[in-house]
Amino acid sequence: MPAEAWIIGAAMTRFGRYPDLDVIDLAAEATLGALADADASIQDIQMMAVGCLSEAPNMLGQRLAKQIGQTGIPIYNVANACATGATAMRTALMAIKAGEADMALAVGAEQMGKMGLLGNAGRSRPKPAGFTPSGRYGSVMPVEGIIGTQLMPGVFAQVGMEYANDHDGVGFEQFAKVAEKNHAHSALNPLAQYQKPFSLEEVMAAEMVAYPNTLLMCCPTGDGAAGVVLCSDSKLATLDPDVRHRAVKISASVLTSDPYTPSEMADFDVSTLTRQAAALAYEQAGVAPADLDLVELHDCFATAELVHYDNLQLCEPGGAGEFIDRRGPWRDGSTPVNVSGGLLSKGHPIGATGVANVYEVATHLRGEAGDRQIEGARVGLTHVIGLGSACAVHILEKAAS
Amino acid sequence: MTMTEAATRGRRIPAVGYLVIDQGDPYLVAQECSSCQAMFFDRRNACARCGGLDFAPKPLGRTGVIRSFTVVRRAAPGVTVPYVSATVALDGGGMVKANLVGIEADPANIQLGGRVKLTTFVAGTDEEGTEAVAFGFTPA
Ligand SMILES: [Zn+2]
């Protein structure tokens, strides 16, 4: 077994829109918050991994250090689509496990503004001068919307509809119930971008983006940051009892990429790599799905969350529709899922997400989640997926005090 | 008018390289790994399944069933909405994503598991008059 690693500090900004701040401000707030929470200073940190999809090529980690403390430590700027934050977390963890650092920072941050659902794929099309096949598909023109859709809302809508094709009892209403739940959960989370509950009828009647996902079933864009301070087992033993008492154990950390599957000929397969990551994580942690007290999973769209119930073994195989119908993933259900409000309502500043869900689970395990606390939580799981694809799963446990 | 312009005027060209339109009925063609038979639509460096280096063109079936679909109502600028994007499992093997055409873009009209057949349509014309031919599926 590898040496154990611990989370001793965690913080996040409220997710939302911060037009008067820059991404360094957001990252600094989360990082300084995590250091204060760990009763540590930047001088104690021997390595830092900073995830930001838009600013990783622009040395965000070093620009952050220039604001909060330039100590000359190695800084890794990481990007891995929507798994960027979790990849930063895992990069810091690997440095600790490798013995290169006994205390490290993982930070995720993003400032997206109001870029809209479609991101940079929504470019306008110039009139073609002459058709010439180009690219790996020999395309003579942009074919988005002409030969299927490759944009996120449609891709994840089709992920859900494929599950509906393969399993009974799954349809528009089941997907909508996922969003009803996450919006309801977010009303208890002061850090969520939106904190407003919506009825199932309101979710289903909202503007249709890509059937079966309405606007209330798609995550918003937004700004925010999260940070965690990690330390080694041996370092933990030297720390103040108040810090040790609140430490959260990292029982599993897994990152997968998408293995070859025949369906990739047509579309991304977001399930196989998630299933593999989950199976590995449960094995690493010696934890069964039934042991989980809460799960924060990657609900970029309501359709995605439903499919991940099955991928993460939170329901019977094929039983994701029945699971949401019986309110299993509600905060008072058998396995609470996305009690933070999830990406759908807490928000999804891309680089921040994979650290923010670690913050969320750790905060519950410490018994410090306030109104949204899952009472007695001892074991939790976080999951993110970046389309393309990367999947990260972490299992966290309350210290056996 | 140059020789080249004259030669291209009135020409038709597939919108993507894996659509064949000049060999009778249009069909899709995959690159099939000679070692493990994995199929791909894109230009390959090696096989993603087995690492094999040799590929042969494999014509695919013109009919299949709908595995998944979405009705897109918010799209990139210049794309007409609503439209239906679907994944089709082709008879004889292979899977492809394309639009369902010739039907109303209403989920009530589309059946998961429903049978469809390949069709083609002109997706655009360039300044030289060459037509780009794309493919989609219609109910069979
Ligand atoms: Zn092969």
Side-chain angles (χ1 to χ4, degrees):
Chain A
M1 280 294 286
E4 284 175 359
W6 302 82
I7 296 168
I8 54 170
M12 68 177 279
T13 68
R14 182 183 170 186
F15 285 177
R17 305 201 191 279
Y18 295 96
D20 299 329
L21 301 180
D22 64 19
V23 70
I24 303 168
D25 293 318
L26 298 170
E29 180 185 332
T31 307
L32 293 173
L35 285 169
D37 186 50
D39 194 23
S41 89
I42 193 71
Q43 307 294 331
D44 298 314
I45 300 297
Q46 292 144 1
M47 174 276 184
M48 178 160 71
V50 178
C52 182
L53 191 57
S54 57
E55 291 294 323
N58 299 323
M59 308 293 268
L60 178 63
Q62 283 82 348
R63 288 152 68 205
L64 171 63
K66 285 173 174 58
Q67 295 301 321
I68 65 168
Q70 286 174 263
T71 57
I73 57 169
I75 294 176
Y76 297 78
N77 292 285
V78 308
N80 223 356
C82 298
T84 290
T87 303
M89 161 92 179
R90 193 168 152 65
T91 303
L93 180 65
M94 286 193 296
I96 285 176
K97 287 189 170 181
E100 289 204 3
D102 59 24
M103 201 183 287
L105 261 168
V107 181
E110 206 79 47
Q111 189 160 42
M112 300 168 75
K114 297 190 85 165
M115 65 194 289
L117 276 172
L118 303 175
N120 61 10
R123 298 172 305 240
S124 63
R125 291 172 182 177
K127 167 87 175 161
F131 287 139
T132 307
S134 68
R136 288 197 168 254
Y137 292 91
S139 312
V140 303
M141 59 190 296
V143 294
E144 169 59 32
I146 294 170
I147 303 178
T149 182
Q150 304 295 337
L151 301 185
M152 300 277 175
V155 165
F156 280 99
Q158 287 201 224
V159 165
M161 291 301 283
E162 185 181 325
Y163 190 83
N165 181 50
D166 293 342
H167 304 288
D168 292 335
V170 177
F172 183 25
E173 187 172 322
Q174 281 66 43
F175 296 125
K177 284 177 176 175
V178 170
E180 177 200 13
K181 168 183 70 75
N182 290 355
H183 287 292
H185 285 173
S186 73
L188 297 173
N189 185 0
L191 298 171
Q193 183 165 351
Y194 299 107
Q195 297 166 24
K196 185 182 173 194
F198 293 92
S199 69
L200 180 61
E201 292 70 28
E202 287 172 314
V203 170
M204 295 179 79
E207 180 195 342
M208 185 59 73
V209 174
Y211 179 88
N213 286 325
T214 67
L215 193 58
L216 290 171
M217 298 161 71
C218 303
C219 70
T221 60
D223 312 333
V228 291
V229 179
L230 310 183
C231 82
S232 65
D233 207 37
S234 56
K235 180 70 175 179
L236 184 73
T238 70
L239 297 177
D240 188 276
D242 289 342
V243 174
R244 293 207 305 270
H245 181 68
R246 294 174 66 243
V248 169
K249 182 180 164 191
I250 303 171
S251 299
S253 173
V254 176
L255 182 68
T256 55
S257 63
D258 39 352
Y260 169 83
T261 57
S263 67
E264 291 212 324
M265 215 182 160
D267 213 342
F268 295 104
D269 175 356
V270 300
S271 288
T272 305
L273 81 166
T274 298
R275 287 172 174 270
Q276 292 189 349
L280 272 168
Y282 291 130
E283 186 185 326
Q284 265 184 27
V287 159
D291 298 331
L292 298 173
D293 297 309
L294 76 160
V295 171
E296 288 285 306
L297 64 74
H298 204 72
D299 58 324
C300 48
F301 296 89
T303 45
E305 173 163 327
L306 193 99
V307 172
H308 292 317
Y309 295 152
D310 204 332
N311 291 334
L312 298 174
Q313 304 173 41
L314 307 182
C315 62
E316 294 296 312
E322 185 266 342
F323 185 56
I324 187 73
D325 280 343
R326 69 173 162 86
R327 298 171 67 92
W330 281 74
R331 51 176 294 113
D332 56 355
S334 53
T335 307
V337 175
N338 287 332
V339 296
S340 67
L343 282 60
L344 289 178
S345 197
K346 181 178 71 174
H348 182 29
I350 295 174
T353 292
V355 183
N357 63 14
V358 168
Y359 164 85
E360 180 69 16
V361 169
T363 301
H364 285 269
L365 299 180
R366 288 164 148 188
E368 299 172 1
D371 291 345
R372 69 185 187 286
Q373 176 69 39
I374 296 297
E375 287 306 323
R378 301 196 63 85
V379 189
L381 179 147
T382 67
H383 158 263
V384 291
I385 186 160
L387 198 63
S389 295
C391 177
V393 171
H394 287 93
I395 294 177
L396 309 179
E397 289 185 78
K398 184 184 178 73
S401 50
Chain B
M1 186 182 293
T2 66
M3 293 277 287
T4 311
E5 282 168 346
T8 54
R9 193 162 290 274
R11 268 187 58 204
R12 290 155 63 86
I13 186 171
V16 289
Y18 55 95
L19 171 64
V20 178
I21 59 172
D22 57 358
Q23 311 279 327
D25 285 342
Y27 61 91
L28 302 176
V29 62
Q31 298 303 311
E32 186 183 58
C33 173
S34 304
S35 305
C36 78
Q37 282 70 56
M39 293 189 286
F40 307 90
F41 285 123
D42 58 344
R43 175 165 61 81
R44 299 305 303 175
N45 299 91
C47 175
R49 184 182 184 201
C50 77
L53 297 174
D54 297 321
F55 294 86
K58 160 126 177 163
L60 301 178
R62 304 182 72 259
T63 55
V65 298
I66 300 171
R67 244 177 94 79
S68 176
F69 73 89
T70 180
V71 180
V72 178
R73 290 189 172 269
R74 264 205 198 180
V79 175
T80 306
V81 290
Y83 70 90
V84 183
S85 170
T87 301
V88 175
L90 298 170
D91 295 334
M95 237 175 272
V96 68
K97 185 186 269 190
N99 285 14
L100 293 187
V101 297
I103 57 161
E104 195 189 338
D106 178 345
N109 288 347
I110 302 155
Q111 194 65 46
L112 287 168
R115 292 201 59 80
V116 290
K117 62 182 185 221
L118 190 77
T119 186
T120 56
F121 56 93
V122 174
T125 307
D126 70 13
E127 288 177 350
E128 295 167 354
T130 300
E131 290 176 334
V133 176
F135 69 94
F137 289 86
T138 55

